[in-house]
Structure formats: structure tokens, C-alpha cells
Amino acid sequence: LIIIQVVLNCLLLFAKENKTTMVSFKASQLLALLENTDTGLIVTDFGGKVLYANEYFMDLMAVADSKDIEGTDFEKWISKDHLADFRTFTAAAIELGVRKNSEFYFVAADKKTMALEICSLRSTSEAGTCLQYIARDISRQKLIENRLREAKEKAEESNKLKTAFLANLSHEVRTPMNAIMGFSELLLSDNIPQAHKEKYINYINNSGAVLLNLIDDIIDIAKMQSGQLAVKKISCDLSSILYDLHSSYSQLIKTQKGDNVKLMSEGAVPRGRIKLMTDPLRFRQIFTNLLNNAIKYTDTGSISFGCNYDAAIEGKRLQFYVSDTGIGLSQENKDAIFDRFYKIEDDKLKFYRGAGLGLTISKNLVSLLGGNIWVESEVGKGSRFYFQFPIEDAFISISERPETKSEIDYSMLENKKILVAEDEEINFIYLDELLKRYKAEVIHARNGQEALDIVIADSSIDLVLMDIKMPVMDGYEATRLIKDQRPSLPIIAQTAYALAGEKDKIIQAGCDDYLSKPIKPISLFKLLSQFLVAAN
Ligand code: ADP
């Protein structure tokens, strides 16, 4: 700092002595020194007019000619937000003689903003009174600092959220467990009226579903973190997916909210027919996450969902929405809700259950499927979630009628011979009960080898429900060998499907489709209806 001050003083002195003639040899050397340093040097009078700026500073300010900077107010180059601080800094330099290392943002002629660290020296030599500034470009350092700060804050926030998540998780697990264990115990008591029994069983069922959902979400989050969550796009009929969702959710909303919340159906399903290249399971999961939230956070009014079909017709992106008239979201929470474990906890509002995973999973799934997701919302008025996919993933045919059929024709099961390969007795009893209700004939194989032997011996088997993990011969092997014998016999795998890649392995083994355990009756019958046809 002192050296630069001496150089500047000498220069000013030489310049003063040689006002009209060329600057002397010594002065020109000093000037060369000042011009070639990688530090900005500026001299102003006490009024702030620039008397001199070296080439480095001119470069920083994106000016080519010294005339464009000399004679200007130095303040002109300071960012407006920093002007007041800069004036205080300069006043202190005039009063105290020196001010060191303050950071200010400057705005160059090309509007680029940069951070400079400034020192200021008051000079009252023979050359006259002036202020000398030394400026160091710290933009890069500032950028790194800001990134580090953001990363640190994010890590701290993430750690805080993780801790809150673990505390919350215990609550989320214990609440349904409490119901399951409590009502199971009650069921064992004597003389419970039938109506009460049904109510208890319903509680147990619902709590089981809540637990299962939580386990699925945790597995999905773990897969996402390890980069193992994969999607497989196939051509799907969009109308039938939306119809299915509509029929299950109108029922669910009615049960949970009575007449207080209505599911608006208008426009939910496209008028024409759209085939969408997507992963049907994951596509449905995005909708169910958003719809479950809409139900959770809406006590009165309406919920609607569907496809913005017109945008697709116009060749834009294929857009979907889920909208509600519920509690809504503040501006601040709108982005944060897509973060892992983020849950809005407001003691003044009622307590809402949830682990804060659904939207993170939805966001990841939408992005894996090549789209994006966002929300528009206002506190107290409701929220509208949107997600969209590239139009290239959709095939639209307007002339065809949409597929409206979502009813299952249970007569398809009458007199059909279904082989259930299952080593767990309890799982077999469940499937046996379900299938026999609709007059199917059920045959039991306890392992893959038995299943193979039965298929070879009995050519009238119509379909196989194949467990994968079985003793003696597993489901993969049995499927391969059965398909060698009877390639057209439909085989549906039934699996716990938790491990990455299992789905692919099942399909590669030759299975026509698969069902995830626990198997819901509706999913079983829907899938069976794709492979079995009613006799008449
Ligand atoms: P959670 O299991 O807690 O619902 P999500 O990831 O699905 O987890 O949602 C994160 C948070 O976003 C929720 O805790 C809730 O505060 C807010 N949120 C999500 N959907 C809605 C909605 N439709 N209306 C209002 N708030 C919502």
C-alpha cells in the first residue's frame, strides 16, 4: 500500500512539474509500473472526481479510453446498493487518512457487476490533495465464498431436516402400529358385535396401507439417493389410466370427506385418445402422491385433476394438473416443499401426518421421465400442481373414442384353471379365497418344480400366478422351463419387488406381467382381465 502510494505521489509530482511537456523518463517508468499491475489504481479529488485510473481498472470497468473514466464521478461506478456505505468509507478516509479492505460491488460500462476490495489513502503531498484508491478484483473469491456458504447452509438444513425426519418417522410408524396392535387385541375379545368387528378390521387395513406406503416411500428415496431408481417407458393408454384414477379417487374422497369435498371430473380425461410413452406405475405414483396431498390438505371445496389436452393438440408439452381448494402454500414454502423431508410445521394450523417424502419422490420421477413439476398456490385459497412431459412422448388421435371401460367383467374367471405357485400357506389361502369367489378353479403348487410338473401334466391350465422366491426351484427358473413347454400360457409373477432390477429380471425370465405384494384384489382382477376372456 505504502509503495503504491509513493509511486502515485511521485507520478503526480512529475506530472505537475512537467505539466505541458512530456512526462520525464523516470515518471514514464513509474507510469508503466502502475499500468502493468494487476491491481486497480484510481486517484480522485476530495469531491470524488476521477483524476486518474490505471489500465487494469479501465479494463475492469470495460472502458477503452481514459477519457471515459477521467472526469467522471467515482461513485458512478459503484452499485446503488453499496453507495451509502461507500460514501461513509470515503468520508472516513478523508478524515482519518486511510481506510482498508472494504468490499463494494461495482457496475462496469457493460453492466457486468463485480466485487472489488478497496483501500483508500488520503494524500496531501506537494502534488495537491487527493484520494488514492487501490482496488482488487475479488469476484471469483466472492463467488466461491457464496457457493461455500450456500453449500454449508444446505448441509446444515439437510441435517436439521434429517433429524426432524427421524423423530417424525418414529411417530409415523408408531401411530398406525398402535392402531394395528390395539384393534387386533380388541378383536380377540369375546362378544364383539359384527359391525364393530368390521370397523376394527377396517382400521387395521387402513393402518397397514399407511405403513406400506411409508415403507415404499423410504425405499424409493433410498433408491433415488443411490441413483438406482430407474423408469421404463412403454406406450400407455392415457385415458384408461385417468379413468381408473378417477374412479378410485371419487370413491376415496367420498369415504374420507363425505359431501364436504367434491372431485370435479370435467375435463379430467382427454376427449380424444392419447397414447403416452411413460412408465405407467411411476406415472400413476406421481398422480397418487399429488392427489393424496390434495385430499389431506383440503377440508372443503373441490379437487380436480387431469390433462391439459388443448396444449397437447397445439403441439406444446403434454401437461397434467392436480388442483385443490385447500390450505394453500406461502411463497416461501412453494419451492422448499419439493426438498427431501421438508414438511411445513405450523402449530397454529392443525397437525398433518406425513414424512415429507411424497413431493421429493414425485419431482424425481417427473424428472426421470423427462419432464418438470411446479406449483401455483395462495395461502387459504388452494394449490395447483402441474407436471408436464415433452410432446414427443405422446401420440394423439382425435378421431378415436376414448377407452371408457374400466369395469371388470368377473365372469372371465368362471371355470378357469389357475395354478398358484406359492410356498407361503397364508399367501396361497388369500389368493385361493379371492379366485374361488368368482368360480375359478385353483390348483396349488408349493415350489417351482411342482408348478412345472403340473403344467406338463395338465394342458388345460389357463394361467399361472408365480411366486418368485420359492424353495427347490425358484420362480425365474420355473417360468423359463414352463415357457419352453407352453410359450402362450400367461404367467404373472407375484413379488415383493423391493430390489432394484427385479422387475427386469422377472420380465426377462418370460413372465407376462407382475403383481407387487401385498396384492390388492382390484389390481389382481384388472391384470387377470387382460389375460383371461369370458367364455360367452
Ligand atoms: P407429506 O408426506 O408431509 O405430505 P410431501 O412431500 O408430499 O410430504 O409434501 C411436503 C409438504 O408440502 C407437506 O408437508 C405440506 O406442508 C405441503 N403440501 C403438499 N401438498 C400440499 C397441498 N396440496 N396443499 C398445501 N400444502 C401442501
Side-chain angles (χ1 to χ4, degrees):
L1 209 70
I2 300 290
I3 293 169
I4 289 173
Q5 188 181 24
V6 170
V7 172
L8 276 172
N9 278 342
C10 290
L11 184 73
L12 286 169
L13 194 61
F14 281 128
K16 204 175 166 199
E17 278 172 2
N18 301 283
K19 245 180 217 156
T20 49
T21 56
M22 228 177 56
V23 182
S24 74
F25 172 69
K26 221 169 178 182
S28 70
Q29 275 196 340
L30 287 169
L31 191 60
L33 198 65
L34 294 184
E35 292 302 335
N36 287 308
T37 172
D38 61 354
T39 306
L41 300 169
I42 310 101
V43 181
T44 72
D45 62 20
F46 278 6
K49 282 260 175 305
V50 177
L51 303 173
Y52 165 79
N54 71 345
E55 230 170 88
Y56 184 80
F57 187 72
M58 283 178 15
D59 282 350
L60 282 182
M61 294 301 110
V63 290
D65 195 329
S66 60
K67 283 198 214 86
D68 294 333
I69 200 155
E70 284 173 11
T72 61
D73 272 336
F74 192 34
E75 282 187 356
K76 171 188 153 182
W77 304 94
I78 311 279
S79 146
K80 292 221 164 14
D81 306 338
H82 285 216
L83 208 52
D85 287 346
F86 182 74
R87 284 180 183 156
T88 316
F89 172 83
T90 302
I94 293 173
E95 194 187 325
L96 304 170
V98 61
R99 292 310 285 158
K100 285 188 190 167
N101 305 347
S102 284
E103 293 166 13
F104 299 103
Y105 277 90
F106 280 64
V107 184
D110 60 3
K111 304 280 177 257
K112 210 172 119 193
T113 302
M114 69 204 68
L116 300 184
E117 188 183 68
I118 301 284
C119 291
S120 180
L121 299 161
R122 181 188 66 202
S123 169
T124 45
S125 67
E126 289 169 51
T129 54
C130 62
L131 275 177
Q132 297 159 358
Y133 292 93
I134 296 157
R136 202 163 61 84
D137 185 6
I138 54 163
S139 303
R140 201 177 140 64
Q141 180 185 324
K142 271 267 149 307
L143 193 77
I144 295 169
E145 253 175 45
N146 285 343
R147 282 195 190 146
L148 279 175
R149 189 179 318 110
E150 275 167 23
K152 180 173 166 270
E153 280 166 7
K154 219 165 175 157
E156 281 170 0
E157 178 67 16
S158 166
N159 207 17
K160 226 166 67 193
L161 285 173
K162 227 182 232 172
T163 313
F165 168 73
L166 286 176
N168 188 32
L169 189 63
S170 163
H171 176 263
E172 290 298 312
V173 171
R174 278 166 199 274
T175 312
M177 270 320 250
N178 196 31
I180 292 172
M181 297 175 81
F183 285 111
S184 309
E185 195 82 38
L186 276 182
L187 275 177
L188 291 174
S189 342
D190 298 329
N191 304 327
I192 310 169
Q194 183 61 23
H196 282 152
K197 266 191 200 166
E198 279 168 19
K199 211 160 71 183
Y200 296 168
I201 290 170
N202 243 338
Y203 290 144
I204 294 172
N205 256 332
N206 291 343
S207 302
V210 168
L211 268 183
L212 192 66
N213 222 358
L214 183 65
I215 292 167
D216 283 344
D217 278 359
I218 292 171
I219 291 175
D220 277 351
I221 283 282
K223 279 190 196 162
M224 275 167 199
Q225 278 192 305
S226 57
Q228 284 184 33
L229 192 88
V231 292
K232 201 166 192 177
K233 287 188 184 179
I234 54 169
S235 174
C236 307
D237 185 71
L238 187 60
S239 311
S240 59
I241 295 182
L242 293 176
Y243 269 116
D244 279 353
L245 280 169
H246 196 267
S247 58
S248 16
Y249 274 89
S250 45
Q251 194 60 40
L252 191 71
I253 291 172
K254 189 131 194 76
T255 322
Q256 291 195 6
K257 304 278 168 165
D259 287 333
N260 294 330
V261 180
K262 292 237 165 331
L263 180 68
M264 311 291 276
S265 56
E266 208 179 311
V269 181
R271 291 186 306 273
R273 186 164 174 198
I274 300 184
K275 289 266 180 208
L276 180 65
M277 282 301 292
T278 193
D279 184 324
L281 216 76
R282 297 306 190 173
F283 178 77
R284 232 179 257 266
Q285 190 180 354
I286 300 164
F287 258 122
T288 51
N289 279 349
L290 296 178
L291 281 164
N292 290 341
N293 277 349
I295 297 175
K296 185 160 43 163
Y297 299 106
T298 308
D299 285 333
T300 52
S302 62
I303 292 171
S304 54
F305 77 95
C307 167
N308 279 337
Y309 180 64
D310 293 340
I313 294 275
E314 286 160 25
K316 293 178 195 153
R317 292 168 75 85
L318 193 58
Q319 193 179 78
F320 301 92
Y321 63 90
V322 173
S323 115
D324 65 60
T325 56
I327 59 171
L329 288 155
S330 68
Q331 186 62 36
E332 171 201 353
N333 282 324
K334 265 192 226 168
D335 294 326
I337 53 167
F338 292 102
D339 287 346
R340 203 164 45 122
F341 310 140
Y342 192 88
K343 214 182 146 205
I344 304 166
E345 306 266 15
D346 189 339
D347 292 342
K348 282 178 253 118
L349 296 171
K350 83 177 192 202
F351 178 77
Y352 292 98
R353 297 250 310 267
L357 298 176
L359 287 179
T360 315
I361 294 171
S362 301
K363 187 177 174 178
N364 268 275
L365 291 177
V366 170
S367 132
L368 279 172
L369 291 168
N372 57 325
I373 184 168
W374 72 99
V375 61
E376 288 169 8
S377 183
E378 214 177 306
V379 174
K381 297 221 164 128
S383 312
R384 199 172 171 90
F385 286 82
Y386 292 95
F387 58 101
Q388 58 182 15
F389 298 111
I391 197 71
E392 299 81 70
D393 283 353
F395 172 76
I396 304 160
S397 69
I398 309 165
S399 53
E400 282 179 69
R401 288 190 61 74
E403 278 175 13
T404 54
K405 195 169 156 269
S406 66
E407 292 288 304
I408 295 166
D409 178 8
Y410 290 97
S411 67
M412 64 166 170
L413 279 162
E414 273 174 37
N415 305 321
K416 293 284 158 44
K417 231 183 218 181
I418 297 182
L419 173 64
V420 177
E422 174 62 77
D423 60 322
E424 294 281 349
E425 198 63 22
I426 188 85
N427 289 348
F428 171 74
I429 294 171
Y430 171 64
L431 288 172
D432 190 44
E433 278 288 319
L434 281 178
L435 296 167
K436 280 196 174 143
R437 255 186 219 180
Y438 299 102
K439 302 195 184 122
E441 186 184 336
V442 181
I443 301 169
H444 188 189
R446 286 174 181 76
N447 58 56
Q449 183 63 54
E450 268 188 40
L452 177 65
D453 294 344
I454 292 170
V455 171
I456 292 172
D458 184 351
S459 62
S460 61
I461 304 273
D462 291 296
L463 185 141
V464 184
L465 283 173
M466 178 74 79
D467 183 26
I468 292 297
K469 211 166 147 283
M470 283 186 295
V472 187
M473 182 190 285
D474 68 15
Y476 299 122
E477 183 69 10
T479 300
R480 261 189 293 272
L481 295 171
I482 291 174
K483 283 282 178 179
D484 281 348
Q485 301 288 325
R486 282 188 59 189
S488 59
L489 176 64
I491 303 182
I492 297 174
Q494 22 146 349
T495 162
Y497 179 53
L499 296 174
E502 191 172 335
K503 184 172 143 191
D504 286 344
K505 240 169 119 182
I506 287 168
I507 301 297
Q508 271 164 22
C511 290
D512 297 87
D513 217 319
Y514 66 91
L515 281 163
S516 298
K517 286 179 185 172
I519 296 170
K520 283 193 190 143
I522 187 85
S523 320
L524 171 71
F525 293 128
K526 257 189 202 160
L527 199 56
L528 289 180
S529 68
Q530 287 179 24
F531 294 97
L532 299 174
V533 185
N536 45 359

